[in-house]
């Protein structure tokens, strides 16, 4: 994959004023406000750019629904979850006249470029809008951490913290009551939260979309564990986990209007199946949107800030159709064409650790 190393920009090396549109799209997550704040601070402070925010993602661009952003708007937002711009799951290329409406707003607002903060859907839309001639720099965010091309996306670190704390809490009550506790976490296409929080929280079983599970094997494992050395177990299930084809448990995932998973469906099924097969007292906790709310961790605040600064620098250099990405210790740019529509899956090595420690 081609990488563009970011050159160090010295103060006022590049000084020309641009009008930059800014949006957050898709599901919200902690750390978005840190990125918005960084775009405004770096854009206005370093370059004298004007930042025009759009309400509710691409929908706001189509509707021309703007919020001019100044320093007063970003005061005290660093520790605040959600996004001060609002967000929506709306894709202009999927609605009639959507791209034309985006172009009309870009012209009406005299935008030189746009910075789009989002996950797979928003980035895909960004790529389509760039194809229509708009200069775009994207920033990856999603608690699922499944955006290709970057080690981390904004929001993931906080979600893993929340899920780990929840597993820790469930642990003590599981032990007190001799129960099997099933904890369902988010992760539609990839099991990053399940695997990381499962390892950190010491889960006995971790089920991820990357590795279809076998309910017979889980039943056998739990029976053995409870007979041999424990009276409780924690089972972490990613919402996108599925049983292995041809295995003894049939399951078809229920999907919502935008293809989103209905929270609780696989968790309920796994928990009912364990209770039925083993007779163990079993309870389900669905973490759901708790994982997406509240204060970002310092890591997400720092990541959002770094991506925000890098995106403004990139726009100011005339870069377009690229996304900021973390690679090791560095923030780099990757071409949107190389990542749009792809899913970054949990590698086999990490899955192995989750299974080895069960
Ligand atoms: O943004 C990713 C995500 O949190 C997924 O993990 C989850 O399946 C989905 O969003 C939920 O979407 P919504 O908030 O629209 O119900």
């Amino acid at each position: 994959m081609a990488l563009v190393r970011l050159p160090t920009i010295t103060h006022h090396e590049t000084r020309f004023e641009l009008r930059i549109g800014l949006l957050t799209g898709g599901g919200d997550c902690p750390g978005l406000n840190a990125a918005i704040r960084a775009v405004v601070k770096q854009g206005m402070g370093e370059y004298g750019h004007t930042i025009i925010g759009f309400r509710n993602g691409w929908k706001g661009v189509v509707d021309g629904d703007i919020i001019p952003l100044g320093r007063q708007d970003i005061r005290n937002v660093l520790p605040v979850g959600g996004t001060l711009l609002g967000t929506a799951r709306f894709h202009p290329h999927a609605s009639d006249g959507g791209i034309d409406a985006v172009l009309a707003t870009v012209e009406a607002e005299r935008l030189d470029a746009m910075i789009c903060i989002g996950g797979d859907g928003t980035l895909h839309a960004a790529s389509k809008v760039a194809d229509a001639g708009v200069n775009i720099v994207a920033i990856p965010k999603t608690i699922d951490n499944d955006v290709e091309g970057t080690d981390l996306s904004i929001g993931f670190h906080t979600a893993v913290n929340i899920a780990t704390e929840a597993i820790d809490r469930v642990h003590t009550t599981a032990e007190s009551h001799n129960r099997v506790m099933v904890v369902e976490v988010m992760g539609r296409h990839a099991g990053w939260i399940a695997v990381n929080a499962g390892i950190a929280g010491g889960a006995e079983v971790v089920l991820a979309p990357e590795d279809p599970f076998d309910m017979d094997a889980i039943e056998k494992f739990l029976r053995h564990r409870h007979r041999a050395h424990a009276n409780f177990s924690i089972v972490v299930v990613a919402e996108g986990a599925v049983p292995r084809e041809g295995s003894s448990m049939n399951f078809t995932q229920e999907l919502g209007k935008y293809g989103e998973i209905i929270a609780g469906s696989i968790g309920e099924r796994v928990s009912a199946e364990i209770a039925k097969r083993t007779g163990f007292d079993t309870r389900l906790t669905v973490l759901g949107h708790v994982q997406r709310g509240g204060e970002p961790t310092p890591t997400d605040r720092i990541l959002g800030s770094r991506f925000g600064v890098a995106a403004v620098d990139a726009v100011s250099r005339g870069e377009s159709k690229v996304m900021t990405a973390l690679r090791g210790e560095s923030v780099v740019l990757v071409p949107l064409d190389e990542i749009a529509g792809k899913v970054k899956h949990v590698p086999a090595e990490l899955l192995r650790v989750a299974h080895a420690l069960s």
Side-chain angles (χ1 to χ4, degrees):
M1 181 179 288
L3 288 186
V4 185
R5 289 268 156 208
L6 295 182
T8 314
I9 294 192
T10 53
H11 197 65
H12 298 323
E13 189 182 298
T14 332
R15 181 141 204 137
F16 50 91
E17 288 155 26
L18 300 176
R19 288 175 63 80
I20 302 173
L22 175 65
L23 66 83
T24 50
D28 74 337
C29 67
L32 289 173
N33 286 328
I36 294 170
R37 174 178 175 269
V39 168
V40 173
K41 281 202 163 200
Q42 178 74 350
M44 293 179 72
E46 181 74 16
Y47 300 99
H49 297 329
T50 301
I51 311 297
I52 294 115
F54 288 98
R55 278 195 188 86
N56 304 328
W58 287 109
K59 181 85 177 76
V61 186
V62 165
D63 296 343
D65 191 357
I66 63 163
I67 317 179
L69 287 173
R71 288 184 177 280
Q72 69 287 350
D73 302 301
I74 51 153
R75 215 159 273 152
N76 303 326
V77 300
L78 205 46
V80 182
T83 159
L84 66 90
L85 289 174
T87 187
R89 292 194 188 281
F90 177 88
H91 305 139
H93 56 284
S95 72
D96 263 359
I99 296 284
D100 287 344
V102 167
L103 297 179
T105 300
V106 167
E107 200 180 326
E109 293 302 325
R110 293 175 286 111
L111 298 182
D112 299 293
M114 294 192 65
I115 295 178
C116 307
I117 312 176
D120 51 353
T122 308
L123 301 183
H124 189 58
S127 173
K128 297 277 181 204
V129 172
D131 287 342
V134 180
N135 293 325
I136 295 214
V137 173
I139 295 179
K141 69 84 225 172
T142 167
I143 66 162
D144 292 358
N145 200 37
D146 59 358
V147 173
E148 179 67 38
T150 180
D151 293 350
L152 277 182
S153 291
I154 299 171
F156 170 64
H157 191 263
T158 308
V160 171
N161 266 22
I162 295 168
T164 303
E165 193 199 330
I167 295 167
D168 286 346
R169 287 179 184 278
V170 158
H171 224 117
T172 58
T173 168
E175 208 164 354
S176 305
H177 284 270
N178 301 344
R179 279 174 172 159
V180 175
M181 292 293 208
V182 176
V183 181
E184 186 190 287
V185 298
M186 281 187 168
R188 272 180 286 182
H189 310 297
W192 289 97
I193 299 177
V195 169
N196 282 277
I199 292 170
E204 275 67 46
V205 178
V206 176
L207 308 181
E210 286 84 353
D211 191 11
F213 61 88
D214 177 357
M215 193 41 90
D216 292 343
I218 295 171
E219 176 190 343
K220 204 166 145 206
F221 167 79
L222 291 175
R223 281 184 182 283
H224 171 75
R225 175 178 150 85
H226 286 228
R227 203 172 38 238
H229 55 87
N231 57 8
F232 75 96
S233 292
I234 309 285
V235 177
V236 175
V237 191
E239 61 182 355
V242 285
R244 197 170 289 167
E245 232 172 88
S247 72
S248 64
M249 179 182 144
N250 293 320
F251 176 77
T252 311
Q253 190 64 258
E254 215 185 308
L255 297 179
K257 190 171 154 203
Y258 297 102
E260 75 274 22
I261 282 171
I262 305 300
S265 29
I266 185 68
E268 248 171 49
R269 190 59 207 284
V270 164
S271 129
E273 203 70 29
I274 290 173
K276 188 177 86 190
R277 289 172 181 235
T278 63
F280 297 150
D281 197 13
T282 305
R283 295 288 186 278
L284 168 67
T285 302
V286 179
L287 289 188
H289 291 79
V290 167
Q291 294 157 99
R292 289 221 319 242
E295 259 187 44
T297 58
T299 298
D300 273 326
R301 297 181 203 190
I302 295 164
L303 189 66
S305 302
R306 291 181 76 186
F307 281 170
V309 168
V312 170
D313 287 347
V315 160
S316 307
R317 282 198 310 274
E319 304 271 5
S320 182
K321 222 181 170 191
V322 290
M323 179 188 82
T324 63
L326 186 74
R327 290 290 178 85
E329 294 300 315
S330 309
V331 172
V332 299
L333 299 177
V334 296
L336 264 184
D337 277 340
E338 290 186 13
I339 57 109
K342 294 189 183 159
V343 173
K344 184 183 71 173
H345 287 293
V346 177
E349 173 270 328
L350 198 53
L351 287 167
R352 243 192 96 237
V353 174
H355 298 325
L357 299 180
S358 63

